[in-house]
């Protein structure tokens, strides 16, 4: 019951990542790189600019806006409390004020956009290059090891220094650079989650040991899943021991949970498509891909735009068997254990509905790679038979997938009106008719018309018409 209503205690106890001490004003231009922002605004000839801040940087937002407006001459707006995730560029909110560009501060997922020019200003965290190199030499004894270093965006300012020092000790080392031009990477086999890199000639990615520099979080988890064929390690400069840790051994348990979701999608008759982003390039193509996969396997689809999904929002749609979240890589893996229906990603729908896709230990979190021209795109397999029998690993029952023209004919007649104006052959309407309570009935022409009359007056605890209140009023009059 706490999912639907609460006494407010959860809101009181909720902890939000927020900086309590604002940046000193004399250091503001240095921390937020406002000189670089001025040059970018003037070079693009922008008159209206939106500044997007995460929650932990909102304390400096007002000072940054006043400072930047005075130095650049552009009108600046603050974007906070974004509709989906602070790591994604919120182009929709920026278009509400007809902005010419966006400056994104803080952590970013580097998902490509296409509407407005974007400048990324990452938070710069300290990194001791010499200390990092000593830890690397202690862990990797072979100096000819093929190394690929991937940086969290907060350490992107140290990429050149690290590569210059590292290449002297490890000649086969390669560094990944964040893709900041917001365009599709041309080299499919040399890109991953917004970063691109040039491998040594004659080598493949599975020959490299990948070293991620940053915290253990969503970004690191995504690299663990995407680079399953490589040996992945992590180095956190903020840790006291500053040691190199091998890849998380719990990743196999995570994959087992996601494979369970694949079976849930196979059992589902209705899929709800949750639009979790309006800025990532190609999200509409991902929605069309889900609809095509569902149509080929005889499933119904509904599209929902609910902003950030939570339990009360999705609980309003019990007729949906599973939800498919279309979001950036860092927000697509939603912890669904508290939800009443599973929340999956496009990759799980591909595994469940695309018979041509084979099982792989690699888990694709970037939905763009599953679309046409993507690195992990697999064309749908056409089946000669109209039905494929299968056994559910969850329920143990036999299920059948309707494939081909038979399902197309069914979808052409998905909605049909009965004589009583009710709708049939629709999964949502069938679920509604089977419920014991279907909402308030209008009863048109059956309810007599009555004139408006005066209702109750007073406060809810004691209306004036109640007996105790009448006695109290009489005593006051006497």
């Amino acid at each position: 019951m706490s999912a639907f209503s609460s006494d407010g205690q959860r809101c009181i106890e909720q902890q939000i990542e927020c900086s309590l001490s604002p940046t000193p004003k004399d250091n503001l231009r240095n921390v937020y790189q406002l000189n670089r922002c001025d040059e970018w605004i003037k070079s693009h000839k922008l008159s209206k600019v939106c500044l997007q801040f995460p929650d932990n940087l909102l304390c400096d937002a007002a000072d940054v806006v006043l400072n930047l407006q005075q130095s650049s001459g552009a009108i600046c707006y603050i974007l906070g409390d974004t509709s989906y995730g602070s790591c994604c560029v919120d182009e929709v909110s920026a278009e509400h004020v007809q902005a010419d560009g966006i400056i994104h501060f803080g952590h970013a997922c580097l998902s490509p956009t296409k509407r407005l020019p974007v400048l990324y200003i990452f938070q710069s965290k300290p990194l001791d290059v010499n200390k990092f190199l000593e830890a690397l030499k202690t862990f990797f004894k072979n100096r000819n090891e093929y190394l690929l270093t991937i940086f969290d965006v907060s350490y992107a300012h140290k990429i050149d220094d690290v590569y210059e020092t590292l290449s002297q000790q490890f000649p086969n080392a390669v560094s990944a650079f964040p893709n900041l031009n917001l365009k599709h990477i041309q080299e499919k086999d040399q890109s991953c989650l917004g970063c691109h890199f040039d491998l040594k000639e004659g080598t493949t990615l599975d020959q490299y040991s990948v070293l991620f520099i940053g915290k253990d979080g969503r970004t690191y988890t995504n690299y663990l899943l995407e680079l399953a064929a490589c040996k992945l390690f992590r180095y956190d400069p903020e840790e006291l021991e500053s040691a190199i840790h091998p890849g998380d051994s719990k990743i196999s348990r995570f994959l087992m949970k996601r494979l369970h979701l694949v079976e849930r999608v196979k059992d589902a008759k209705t899929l709800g498509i949750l639009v979790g982003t309006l800025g990532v390039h190609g999200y509409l193509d991902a929605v069309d891909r889900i609809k095509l996969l569902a149509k080929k396997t005889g499933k119904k689809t509904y599209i929902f735009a609910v902003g950030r999904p939570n339990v009360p929002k999705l609980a309003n749609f019990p007729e949906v068997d599973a939800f498919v979240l279309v979001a950036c890589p860092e927000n697509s893996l939603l912890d669904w254990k508290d939800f009443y229906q599973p929340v999956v990603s496009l990759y799980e729908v591909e595994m469940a509905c695309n018979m041509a896709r084979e099982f792989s230990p690699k888990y694709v979190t970037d939905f763009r790679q599953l679309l046409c021209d993507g690195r992990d795109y697999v064309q749908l397999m056409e089946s000669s038979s109209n039905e494929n029998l299968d056994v559910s690993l969850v329920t143990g029952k036999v299920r059948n997938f309707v494939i081909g023209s038979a399902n197309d004919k069914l979808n052409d007649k998905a909605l049909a009106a009965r004589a009583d104006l009710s709708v049939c052959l629709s999964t949502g309407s069938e679920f509604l008719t089977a419920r014991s309570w279907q909402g308030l009935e209008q009863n048109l022409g059956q309810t007599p018309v009555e004139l408006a009359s005066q209702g109750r007056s007073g406060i809810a605890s004691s209306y004036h018409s109640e007996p105790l209140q009448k006695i109290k009023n009489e005593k006051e009059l006497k």
Side-chain angles (χ1 to χ4, degrees), residues 234-246:
R234 181 179 61 86
Y235 175 81
D236 188 358
E238 296 185 6
E239 292 182 353
L240 296 178
E241 65 273 12
S242 297
I244 295 178
H245 305 280

Side-chain angles (χ1 to χ4, degrees), residues 258-269:
R258 306 308 294 191
L259 289 176
H260 169 74
L261 295 180
V262 173
E263 291 296 316
R264 295 288 296 271
V265 175
K266 289 182 179 180
D267 291 338
K269 296 181 180 180

Side-chain angles (χ1 to χ4, degrees), residues 85-366:
S86 59
C87 64
C88 299
V89 177
D90 194 355
E91 289 184 308
V92 176
S93 297
E95 288 183 338
H96 289 168
V97 294
Q98 291 82 41
D100 303 317
I102 302 175
I103 300 179
H104 185 284
F105 295 95
H107 178 74
C109 59
L110 301 178
S111 298
T113 57
K114 64 177 181 178
R115 302 177 188 174
L116 299 173
V118 180
L119 173 65
Y120 285 109
I121 302 296
F122 303 128
Q123 185 180 4
S124 300
K125 293 184 179 180
L127 171 62
D128 191 335
V129 179
N130 295 326
K131 190 176 181 180
F132 164 69
L133 186 61
E134 290 298 325
L136 203 63
K137 290 191 293 185
T138 302
F139 192 86
F140 295 100
K141 303 297 183 182
N142 183 11
R143 297 299 176 87
N144 294 322
E145 182 90 19
Y146 286 102
L147 287 177
L148 171 61
T149 55
I150 299 178
F151 296 77
D152 185 83
V153 293
S154 56
Y155 301 103
H157 64 289
K158 286 290 186 177
I159 293 179
D160 293 333
D161 295 340
V162 170
Y163 178 72
E164 183 179 354
T165 306
L166 188 61
S167 59
Q168 298 175 2
Q169 302 291 333
F170 293 86
N172 293 325
V174 176
S175 290
F177 294 85
N179 180 39
L180 302 179
N181 57 8
L182 304 179
K183 296 179 181 178
H184 284 290
I185 304 292
Q186 286 79 10
E187 301 290 339
K188 294 181 182 179
D189 57 339
Q190 296 184 1
S191 64
C192 182
L193 297 176
C195 291
H196 62 92
F197 40 85
D198 295 326
L199 302 179
K200 298 293 182 179
E201 187 176 356
T203 62
T204 57
L205 186 58
D206 55 0
Q207 296 179 244
Y208 285 78
S209 295
V210 181
L211 179 62
F212 177 78
I213 301 177
K215 285 184 172 294
D216 183 4
R218 291 183 179 181
T219 305
Y220 177 60
T221 301
N222 286 339
Y223 281 114
L224 278 174
L225 298 173
E226 288 275 356
L227 303 175
C230 305
K231 297 179 180 178
L232 201 138
F233 307 89
R234 181 179 61 86
Y235 175 81
D236 188 358
E238 296 185 6
E239 292 182 353
L240 296 178
E241 65 273 12
S242 297
I244 295 178
H245 305 280
D248 194 353
S249 59
K250 297 180 181 179
I251 201 67
S252 58
R253 185 179 178 183
F254 171 84
L255 290 176
M256 290 176 62
K257 292 181 179 179
R258 306 308 294 191
L259 289 176
H260 169 74
L261 295 180
V262 173
E263 291 296 316
R264 295 288 296 271
V265 175
K266 289 182 179 180
D267 291 338
K269 296 181 180 180
T270 307
L271 296 180
I273 304 175
L274 292 176
V275 181
T277 178
L278 295 178
V280 178
H281 179 71
Y283 77 96
L284 290 177
D285 297 330
V287 172
D288 292 337
R289 179 68 175 178
I290 297 171
K291 292 168 65 177
L292 177 61
L293 290 169
K295 180 179 180 181
K296 292 296 182 181
T297 51
K299 303 180 188 299
K300 302 293 183 182
T301 56
Y302 298 93
I303 299 178
F304 300 93
V306 295
R308 297 180 184 179
N310 55 36
V311 175
K313 288 180 182 178
L314 302 190
N316 289 317
F317 311 102
E319 65 272 19
V320 177
D321 298 321
F323 289 95
V324 187
L325 179 61
V326 179
C328 72
E330 295 197 6
N331 291 320
S332 60
L333 300 180
L334 195 65
D335 188 7
W336 63 278
K337 62 181 180 180
D338 294 331
F339 290 84
Y340 294 94
Q341 301 95 339
V343 182
V344 303
S345 65
L346 175 56
Y347 183 68
E348 275 122 13
V349 180
E350 281 274 343
M351 292 288 293
C353 302
N354 191 350
M355 304 302 174
R357 183 174 292 277
E358 298 179 356
F359 173 78
S360 172
K362 175 184 177 181
Y363 188 96
V364 183
T365 57
D366 188 356

Side-chain angles (χ1 to χ4, degrees), residues 456 459-471 473:
R456 293 182 177 182
I459 61 176
S461 61
S462 57
Y463 290 109
H464 293 162
S465 59
E466 293 181 353
L468 293 178
Q469 187 64 26
K470 285 184 178 181
I471 297 174
N473 293 339

Side-chain angles (χ1 to χ4, degrees), residues 383 385-389 400-403:
S383 177
S385 61
N386 290 334
E387 294 185 357
N388 284 354
L389 296 180
N400 61 327
F401 292 121
V402 183
I403 300 177

